[in-house]
Amino acid sequence: MLISVGEQITGHKIIEQKDILFGVADSTEGGMFRRNAIKKLIHAAELVGANAITNLHMEIYQTTPEVTEATAYGNAVVVEQTWGSVSHEVKTITPAGLQPKVDDSPEAEIMDANGYKFVVCPKCKSKYKADIDENNRIRIVGFDDVDDDEPGLQIYCLRCGSKFTVPDSL
Ligand SMILES: [Zn+2]
């Protein structure tokens, strides 16, 4: 729970106002009653789903000659961090079992079957139907080059995850 005596929480923006809440404790509870009042306020804020309290105030009353009462109150709010440690990891989705980067991917073989050409994964022998683009180069529909550093078209095998080079032409 983030608590501030001001209207804002540093580094955060208020995205939802919940309610003005109170926590009350008195000296019959012992010497820590001021702190208890704040604890009760925090508990009340948790119950309404807040993660911060702004405008925290504390009032102390002498209710009887023997008893002092503390009232802590503030605005229960929901805040969101605007800067700092929030980071989103960006992950590229690739087939499972992805191999570490290789600079020299093995070149796939081409095979004929039923009048079609297939590119064959050098590792697991999975077949990918070859298409010929307007420059007479082999392409596989749905696969883009995954390695700009290496010459030619490299793809990841969907089955075994190994990276291989598609032959330039038939
Ligand atoms: Zn494979």
Side-chain angles (χ1 to χ4, degrees), residues 28-59:
T28 61
E29 297 176 22
M32 306 290 275
F33 69 102
R34 291 176 189 82
R35 183 167 300 181
N36 285 347
I38 294 176
K39 277 187 184 168
K40 288 176 180 178
L41 170 62
I42 290 171
H43 183 63
E46 284 170 352
L47 288 179
V48 297
N51 64 1
I53 295 166
T54 60
N55 293 302
L56 174 70
H57 285 79
M58 171 82 82
E59 286 176 7

PDB file of all heavy atoms in Angstrom, residues 28-59:
ATOM      1  N   THR A  28      -6.994   3.088  24.664  1.00  0.00           N
ATOM      2  CA  THR A  28      -7.230   1.881  25.454  1.00  0.00           C
ATOM      3  C   THR A  28      -6.573   0.660  24.789  1.00  0.00           C
ATOM      4  O   THR A  28      -6.392  -0.370  25.408  1.00  0.00           O
ATOM      5  CB  THR A  28      -8.749   1.588  25.619  1.00  0.00           C
ATOM      6  OG1 THR A  28      -9.326   1.394  24.319  1.00  0.00           O
ATOM      7  CG2 THR A  28      -9.454   2.723  26.338  1.00  0.00           C
ATOM      8  N   GLU A  29      -6.230   0.828  23.496  1.00  0.00           N
ATOM      9  CA  GLU A  29      -5.565  -0.277  22.784  1.00  0.00           C
ATOM     10  C   GLU A  29      -4.055  -0.313  23.061  1.00  0.00           C
ATOM     11  O   GLU A  29      -3.355  -1.188  22.590  1.00  0.00           O
ATOM     12  CB  GLU A  29      -5.767  -0.126  21.257  1.00  0.00           C
ATOM     13  CG  GLU A  29      -7.221  -0.214  20.836  1.00  0.00           C
ATOM     14  CD  GLU A  29      -7.424   0.033  19.347  1.00  0.00           C
ATOM     15  OE1 GLU A  29      -6.460  -0.137  18.569  1.00  0.00           O
ATOM     16  OE2 GLU A  29      -8.549   0.405  18.978  1.00  0.00           O
ATOM     17  N   GLY A  30      -3.583   0.708  23.807  1.00  0.00           N
ATOM     18  CA  GLY A  30      -2.149   0.746  24.095  1.00  0.00           C
ATOM     19  C   GLY A  30      -1.487   1.908  23.389  1.00  0.00           C
ATOM     20  O   GLY A  30      -2.142   2.669  22.662  1.00  0.00           O
ATOM     21  N   GLY A  31      -0.203   2.023  23.594  1.00  0.00           N
ATOM     22  CA  GLY A  31       0.545   3.192  23.132  1.00  0.00           C
ATOM     23  C   GLY A  31       0.653   3.338  21.625  1.00  0.00           C
ATOM     24  O   GLY A  31       0.983   4.407  21.127  1.00  0.00           O
ATOM     25  N   MET A  32       0.396   2.254  20.886  1.00  0.00           N
ATOM     26  CA  MET A  32       0.561   2.298  19.429  1.00  0.00           C
ATOM     27  C   MET A  32      -0.738   2.655  18.722  1.00  0.00           C
ATOM     28  O   MET A  32      -0.923   2.348  17.565  1.00  0.00           O
ATOM     29  CB  MET A  32       1.030   0.925  18.915  1.00  0.00           C
ATOM     30  CG  MET A  32       2.279   0.394  19.587  1.00  0.00           C
ATOM     31  SD  MET A  32       3.734   1.330  19.114  1.00  0.00           S
ATOM     32  CE  MET A  32       4.149   0.464  17.604  1.00  0.00           C
ATOM     33  N   PHE A  33      -1.652   3.301  19.432  1.00  0.00           N
ATOM     34  CA  PHE A  33      -2.985   3.472  18.839  1.00  0.00           C
ATOM     35  C   PHE A  33      -2.988   4.349  17.589  1.00  0.00           C
ATOM     36  O   PHE A  33      -3.814   4.179  16.708  1.00  0.00           O
ATOM     37  CB  PHE A  33      -3.992   3.973  19.892  1.00  0.00           C
ATOM     38  CG  PHE A  33      -3.766   5.378  20.352  1.00  0.00           C
ATOM     39  CD1 PHE A  33      -4.546   6.417  19.866  1.00  0.00           C
ATOM     40  CD2 PHE A  33      -2.791   5.661  21.293  1.00  0.00           C
ATOM     41  CE1 PHE A  33      -4.343   7.712  20.300  1.00  0.00           C
ATOM     42  CE2 PHE A  33      -2.584   6.962  21.726  1.00  0.00           C
ATOM     43  CZ  PHE A  33      -3.358   7.994  21.235  1.00  0.00           C
ATOM     44  N   ARG A  34      -2.018   5.310  17.490  1.00  0.00           N
ATOM     45  CA  ARG A  34      -1.968   6.136  16.266  1.00  0.00           C
ATOM     46  C   ARG A  34      -1.621   5.242  15.067  1.00  0.00           C
ATOM     47  O   ARG A  34      -2.206   5.339  14.007  1.00  0.00           O
ATOM     48  CB  ARG A  34      -0.934   7.251  16.415  1.00  0.00           C
ATOM     49  CG  ARG A  34      -1.317   8.311  17.406  1.00  0.00           C
ATOM     50  CD  ARG A  34      -0.218   9.345  17.581  1.00  0.00           C
ATOM     51  NE  ARG A  34      -0.512  10.245  18.689  1.00  0.00           N
ATOM     52  CZ  ARG A  34      -0.265   9.958  19.964  1.00  0.00           C
ATOM     53  NH1 ARG A  34       0.278   8.804  20.305  1.00  0.00           N
ATOM     54  NH2 ARG A  34      -0.564  10.827  20.917  1.00  0.00           N
ATOM     55  N   ARG A  35      -0.636   4.394  15.299  1.00  0.00           N
ATOM     56  CA  ARG A  35      -0.253   3.464  14.225  1.00  0.00           C
ATOM     57  C   ARG A  35      -1.392   2.481  13.909  1.00  0.00           C
ATOM     58  O   ARG A  35      -1.636   2.147  12.758  1.00  0.00           O
ATOM     59  CB  ARG A  35       1.011   2.701  14.651  1.00  0.00           C
ATOM     60  CG  ARG A  35       1.532   1.764  13.589  1.00  0.00           C
ATOM     61  CD  ARG A  35       2.922   1.273  13.897  1.00  0.00           C
ATOM     62  NE  ARG A  35       3.865   2.374  13.982  1.00  0.00           N
ATOM     63  CZ  ARG A  35       5.177   2.215  14.217  1.00  0.00           C
ATOM     64  NH1 ARG A  35       5.657   1.011  14.413  1.00  0.00           N
ATOM     65  NH2 ARG A  35       5.968   3.246  14.282  1.00  0.00           N
ATOM     66  N   ASN A  36      -2.083   2.057  14.967  1.00  0.00           N
ATOM     67  CA  ASN A  36      -3.221   1.152  14.742  1.00  0.00           C
ATOM     68  C   ASN A  36      -4.296   1.805  13.881  1.00  0.00           C
ATOM     69  O   ASN A  36      -4.936   1.145  13.053  1.00  0.00           O
ATOM     70  CB  ASN A  36      -3.841   0.726  16.077  1.00  0.00           C
ATOM     71  CG  ASN A  36      -2.974  -0.294  16.794  1.00  0.00           C
ATOM     72  OD1 ASN A  36      -2.053  -0.848  16.193  1.00  0.00           O
ATOM     73  ND2 ASN A  36      -3.255  -0.528  18.059  1.00  0.00           N
ATOM     74  N   ALA A  37      -4.498   3.102  14.079  1.00  0.00           N
ATOM     75  CA  ALA A  37      -5.507   3.816  13.287  1.00  0.00           C
ATOM     76  C   ALA A  37      -5.113   3.762  11.807  1.00  0.00           C
ATOM     77  O   ALA A  37      -5.955   3.530  10.930  1.00  0.00           O
ATOM     78  CB  ALA A  37      -5.624   5.267  13.754  1.00  0.00           C
ATOM     79  N   ILE A  38      -3.820   3.952  11.529  1.00  0.00           N
ATOM     80  CA  ILE A  38      -3.350   3.890  10.132  1.00  0.00           C
ATOM     81  C   ILE A  38      -3.472   2.463   9.602  1.00  0.00           C
ATOM     82  O   ILE A  38      -3.893   2.242   8.462  1.00  0.00           O
ATOM     83  CB  ILE A  38      -1.901   4.418  10.022  1.00  0.00           C
ATOM     84  CG1 ILE A  38      -1.894   5.914  10.361  1.00  0.00           C
ATOM     85  CG2 ILE A  38      -1.331   4.163   8.633  1.00  0.00           C
ATOM     86  CD1 ILE A  38      -0.529   6.548  10.394  1.00  0.00           C
ATOM     87  N   LYS A  39      -3.137   1.489  10.447  1.00  0.00           N
ATOM     88  CA  LYS A  39      -3.273   0.085  10.016  1.00  0.00           C
ATOM     89  C   LYS A  39      -4.710  -0.247   9.639  1.00  0.00           C
ATOM     90  O   LYS A  39      -4.974  -0.945   8.657  1.00  0.00           O
ATOM     91  CB  LYS A  39      -2.830  -0.861  11.145  1.00  0.00           C
ATOM     92  CG  LYS A  39      -1.339  -1.093  11.208  1.00  0.00           C
ATOM     93  CD  LYS A  39      -1.053  -2.178  12.236  1.00  0.00           C
ATOM     94  CE  LYS A  39       0.437  -2.386  12.429  1.00  0.00           C
ATOM     95  NZ  LYS A  39       0.704  -3.221  13.614  1.00  0.00           N
ATOM     96  N   LYS A  40      -5.640   0.256  10.435  1.00  0.00           N
ATOM     97  CA  LYS A  40      -7.058  -0.007  10.134  1.00  0.00           C
ATOM     98  C   LYS A  40      -7.486   0.684   8.843  1.00  0.00           C
ATOM     99  O   LYS A  40      -8.273   0.139   8.063  1.00  0.00           O
ATOM    100  CB  LYS A  40      -7.947   0.449  11.304  1.00  0.00           C
ATOM    101  CG  LYS A  40      -7.804  -0.462  12.512  1.00  0.00           C
ATOM    102  CD  LYS A  40      -8.610   0.046  13.693  1.00  0.00           C
ATOM    103  CE  LYS A  40      -8.441  -0.894  14.891  1.00  0.00           C
ATOM    104  NZ  LYS A  40      -9.170  -0.411  16.087  1.00  0.00           N
ATOM    105  N   LEU A  41      -6.954   1.875   8.623  1.00  0.00           N
ATOM    106  CA  LEU A  41      -7.245   2.585   7.372  1.00  0.00           C
ATOM    107  C   LEU A  41      -6.700   1.784   6.179  1.00  0.00           C
ATOM    108  O   LEU A  41      -7.389   1.604   5.160  1.00  0.00           O
ATOM    109  CB  LEU A  41      -6.607   3.984   7.412  1.00  0.00           C
ATOM    110  CG  LEU A  41      -6.613   4.768   6.099  1.00  0.00           C
ATOM    111  CD1 LEU A  41      -8.027   5.031   5.627  1.00  0.00           C
ATOM    112  CD2 LEU A  41      -5.850   6.080   6.276  1.00  0.00           C
ATOM    113  N   ILE A  42      -5.462   1.283   6.326  1.00  0.00           N
ATOM    114  CA  ILE A  42      -4.859   0.489   5.245  1.00  0.00           C
ATOM    115  C   ILE A  42      -5.700  -0.760   4.977  1.00  0.00           C
ATOM    116  O   ILE A  42      -5.978  -1.109   3.826  1.00  0.00           O
ATOM    117  CB  ILE A  42      -3.401   0.104   5.606  1.00  0.00           C
ATOM    118  CG1 ILE A  42      -2.520   1.354   5.578  1.00  0.00           C
ATOM    119  CG2 ILE A  42      -2.869  -0.978   4.657  1.00  0.00           C
ATOM    120  CD1 ILE A  42      -1.115   1.132   6.125  1.00  0.00           C
ATOM    121  N   HIS A  43      -6.131  -1.399   6.050  1.00  0.00           N
ATOM    122  CA  HIS A  43      -6.940  -2.605   5.894  1.00  0.00           C
ATOM    123  C   HIS A  43      -8.242  -2.293   5.147  1.00  0.00           C
ATOM    124  O   HIS A  43      -8.652  -3.022   4.243  1.00  0.00           O
ATOM    125  CB  HIS A  43      -7.232  -3.213   7.264  1.00  0.00           C
ATOM    126  CG  HIS A  43      -7.989  -4.500   7.206  1.00  0.00           C
ATOM    127  ND1 HIS A  43      -7.462  -5.629   6.610  1.00  0.00           N
ATOM    128  CD2 HIS A  43      -9.243  -4.819   7.612  1.00  0.00           C
ATOM    129  CE1 HIS A  43      -8.371  -6.603   6.674  1.00  0.00           C
ATOM    130  NE2 HIS A  43      -9.452  -6.141   7.275  1.00  0.00           N
ATOM    131  N   ALA A  44      -8.878  -1.179   5.532  1.00  0.00           N
ATOM    132  CA  ALA A  44     -10.132  -0.777   4.869  1.00  0.00           C
ATOM    133  C   ALA A  44      -9.875  -0.509   3.382  1.00  0.00           C
ATOM    134  O   ALA A  44     -10.691  -0.867   2.523  1.00  0.00           O
ATOM    135  CB  ALA A  44     -10.700   0.467   5.546  1.00  0.00           C
ATOM    136  N   ALA A  45      -8.727   0.096   3.081  1.00  0.00           N
ATOM    137  CA  ALA A  45      -8.401   0.400   1.681  1.00  0.00           C
ATOM    138  C   ALA A  45      -8.176  -0.884   0.892  1.00  0.00           C
ATOM    139  O   ALA A  45      -8.597  -1.004  -0.268  1.00  0.00           O
ATOM    140  CB  ALA A  45      -7.167   1.298   1.620  1.00  0.00           C
ATOM    141  N   GLU A  46      -7.522  -1.853   1.527  1.00  0.00           N
ATOM    142  CA  GLU A  46      -7.310  -3.152   0.858  1.00  0.00           C
ATOM    143  C   GLU A  46      -8.646  -3.811   0.527  1.00  0.00           C
ATOM    144  O   GLU A  46      -8.817  -4.405  -0.531  1.00  0.00           O
ATOM    145  CB  GLU A  46      -6.480  -4.076   1.753  1.00  0.00           C
ATOM    146  CG  GLU A  46      -5.005  -3.725   1.776  1.00  0.00           C
ATOM    147  CD  GLU A  46      -4.230  -4.486   2.857  1.00  0.00           C
ATOM    148  OE1 GLU A  46      -4.867  -5.181   3.686  1.00  0.00           O
ATOM    149  OE2 GLU A  46      -3.000  -4.365   2.872  1.00  0.00           O
ATOM    150  N   LEU A  47      -9.584  -3.686   1.456  1.00  0.00           N
ATOM    151  CA  LEU A  47     -10.892  -4.329   1.264  1.00  0.00           C
ATOM    152  C   LEU A  47     -11.659  -3.764   0.070  1.00  0.00           C
ATOM    153  O   LEU A  47     -12.446  -4.471  -0.545  1.00  0.00           O
ATOM    154  CB  LEU A  47     -11.750  -4.196   2.534  1.00  0.00           C
ATOM    155  CG  LEU A  47     -11.328  -5.041   3.731  1.00  0.00           C
ATOM    156  CD1 LEU A  47     -12.251  -4.782   4.915  1.00  0.00           C
ATOM    157  CD2 LEU A  47     -11.320  -6.524   3.376  1.00  0.00           C
ATOM    158  N   VAL A  48     -11.422  -2.483  -0.256  1.00  0.00           N
ATOM    159  CA  VAL A  48     -12.139  -1.927  -1.412  1.00  0.00           C
ATOM    160  C   VAL A  48     -11.309  -2.053  -2.695  1.00  0.00           C
ATOM    161  O   VAL A  48     -11.690  -1.547  -3.744  1.00  0.00           O
ATOM    162  CB  VAL A  48     -12.553  -0.442  -1.197  1.00  0.00           C
ATOM    163  CG1 VAL A  48     -13.523  -0.323  -0.036  1.00  0.00           C
ATOM    164  CG2 VAL A  48     -11.343   0.463  -1.018  1.00  0.00           C
ATOM    165  N   GLY A  49     -10.164  -2.705  -2.607  1.00  0.00           N
ATOM    166  CA  GLY A  49      -9.370  -2.952  -3.809  1.00  0.00           C
ATOM    167  C   GLY A  49      -8.426  -1.825  -4.180  1.00  0.00           C
ATOM    168  O   GLY A  49      -7.935  -1.773  -5.302  1.00  0.00           O
ATOM    169  N   ALA A  50      -8.168  -0.927  -3.223  1.00  0.00           N
ATOM    170  CA  ALA A  50      -7.235   0.165  -3.504  1.00  0.00           C
ATOM    171  C   ALA A  50      -5.801  -0.330  -3.320  1.00  0.00           C
ATOM    172  O   ALA A  50      -5.560  -1.312  -2.618  1.00  0.00           O
ATOM    173  CB  ALA A  50      -7.499   1.338  -2.565  1.00  0.00           C
ATOM    174  N   ASN A  51      -4.855   0.352  -3.988  1.00  0.00           N
ATOM    175  CA  ASN A  51      -3.450   0.030  -3.740  1.00  0.00           C
ATOM    176  C   ASN A  51      -2.675   1.233  -3.246  1.00  0.00           C
ATOM    177  O   ASN A  51      -1.465   1.196  -3.114  1.00  0.00           O
ATOM    178  CB  ASN A  51      -2.792  -0.591  -4.983  1.00  0.00           C
ATOM    179  CG  ASN A  51      -2.750   0.368  -6.157  1.00  0.00           C
ATOM    180  OD1 ASN A  51      -3.189   1.513  -6.051  1.00  0.00           O
ATOM    181  ND2 ASN A  51      -2.211  -0.090  -7.272  1.00  0.00           N
ATOM    182  N   ALA A  52      -3.399   2.326  -2.967  1.00  0.00           N
ATOM    183  CA  ALA A  52      -2.735   3.513  -2.434  1.00  0.00           C
ATOM    184  C   ALA A  52      -3.736   4.372  -1.666  1.00  0.00           C
ATOM    185  O   ALA A  52      -4.945   4.278  -1.865  1.00  0.00           O
ATOM    186  CB  ALA A  52      -2.112   4.332  -3.558  1.00  0.00           C
ATOM    187  N   ILE A  53      -3.168   5.198  -0.766  1.00  0.00           N
ATOM    188  CA  ILE A  53      -3.989   6.155  -0.017  1.00  0.00           C
ATOM    189  C   ILE A  53      -3.344   7.520  -0.186  1.00  0.00           C
ATOM    190  O   ILE A  53      -2.138   7.675   0.045  1.00  0.00           O
ATOM    191  CB  ILE A  53      -4.051   5.784   1.481  1.00  0.00           C
ATOM    192  CG1 ILE A  53      -4.778   4.438   1.672  1.00  0.00           C
ATOM    193  CG2 ILE A  53      -4.745   6.883   2.282  1.00  0.00           C
ATOM    194  CD1 ILE A  53      -4.591   3.838   3.055  1.00  0.00           C
ATOM    195  N   THR A  54      -4.141   8.485  -0.624  1.00  0.00           N
ATOM    196  CA  THR A  54      -3.621   9.858  -0.734  1.00  0.00           C
ATOM    197  C   THR A  54      -4.319  10.722   0.298  1.00  0.00           C
ATOM    198  O   THR A  54      -5.321  10.322   0.901  1.00  0.00           O
ATOM    199  CB  THR A  54      -3.859  10.440  -2.141  1.00  0.00           C
ATOM    200  OG1 THR A  54      -5.261  10.458  -2.398  1.00  0.00           O
ATOM    201  CG2 THR A  54      -3.163   9.600  -3.209  1.00  0.00           C
ATOM    202  N   ASN A  55      -3.777  11.915   0.493  1.00  0.00           N
ATOM    203  CA  ASN A  55      -4.348  12.883   1.457  1.00  0.00           C
ATOM    204  C   ASN A  55      -4.513  12.285   2.859  1.00  0.00           C
ATOM    205  O   ASN A  55      -5.534  12.500   3.500  1.00  0.00           O
ATOM    206  CB  ASN A  55      -5.703  13.405   0.973  1.00  0.00           C
ATOM    207  CG  ASN A  55      -5.573  14.243  -0.279  1.00  0.00           C
ATOM    208  OD1 ASN A  55      -4.871  15.243  -0.285  1.00  0.00           O
ATOM    209  ND2 ASN A  55      -6.188  13.810  -1.359  1.00  0.00           N
ATOM    210  N   LEU A  56      -3.489  11.554   3.260  1.00  0.00           N
ATOM    211  CA  LEU A  56      -3.571  10.960   4.602  1.00  0.00           C
ATOM    212  C   LEU A  56      -3.594  12.070   5.668  1.00  0.00           C
ATOM    213  O   LEU A  56      -2.759  12.973   5.641  1.00  0.00           O
ATOM    214  CB  LEU A  56      -2.368  10.046   4.840  1.00  0.00           C
ATOM    215  CG  LEU A  56      -2.263   9.466   6.261  1.00  0.00           C
ATOM    216  CD1 LEU A  56      -3.374   8.447   6.506  1.00  0.00           C
ATOM    217  CD2 LEU A  56      -0.903   8.849   6.493  1.00  0.00           C
ATOM    218  N   HIS A  57      -4.573  11.981   6.547  1.00  0.00           N
ATOM    219  CA  HIS A  57      -4.655  12.900   7.689  1.00  0.00           C
ATOM    220  C   HIS A  57      -4.848  12.094   8.959  1.00  0.00           C
ATOM    221  O   HIS A  57      -5.374  10.990   8.934  1.00  0.00           O
ATOM    222  CB  HIS A  57      -5.845  13.861   7.546  1.00  0.00           C
ATOM    223  CG  HIS A  57      -5.610  14.941   6.547  1.00  0.00           C
ATOM    224  ND1 HIS A  57      -5.729  14.741   5.200  1.00  0.00           N
ATOM    225  CD2 HIS A  57      -5.251  16.237   6.712  1.00  0.00           C
ATOM    226  CE1 HIS A  57      -5.457  15.873   4.564  1.00  0.00           C
ATOM    227  NE2 HIS A  57      -5.159  16.809   5.463  1.00  0.00           N
ATOM    228  N   MET A  58      -4.438  12.711  10.038  1.00  0.00           N
ATOM    229  CA  MET A  58      -4.619  12.060  11.343  1.00  0.00           C
ATOM    230  C   MET A  58      -5.166  13.105  12.291  1.00  0.00           C
ATOM    231  O   MET A  58      -4.642  14.219  12.371  1.00  0.00           O
ATOM    232  CB  MET A  58      -3.248  11.554  11.821  1.00  0.00           C
ATOM    233  CG  MET A  58      -3.233  11.042  13.234  1.00  0.00           C
ATOM    234  SD  MET A  58      -3.810   9.338  13.359  1.00  0.00           S
ATOM    235  CE  MET A  58      -2.300   8.503  12.924  1.00  0.00           C
ATOM    236  N   GLU A  59      -6.232  12.747  12.969  1.00  0.00           N
ATOM    237  CA  GLU A  59      -6.763  13.651  13.999  1.00  0.00           C
ATOM    238  C   GLU A  59      -6.783  12.938  15.339  1.00  0.00           C
ATOM    239  O   GLU A  59      -7.113  11.762  15.417  1.00  0.00           O
ATOM    240  CB  GLU A  59      -8.169  14.136  13.624  1.00  0.00           C
ATOM    241  CG  GLU A  59      -8.101  15.156  12.496  1.00  0.00           C
ATOM    242  CD  GLU A  59      -9.459  15.607  12.010  1.00  0.00           C
ATOM    243  OE1 GLU A  59     -10.475  15.229  12.629  1.00  0.00           O
ATOM    244  OE2 GLU A  59      -9.487  16.316  10.993  1.00  0.00           O
TER     245      GLU A  59
END
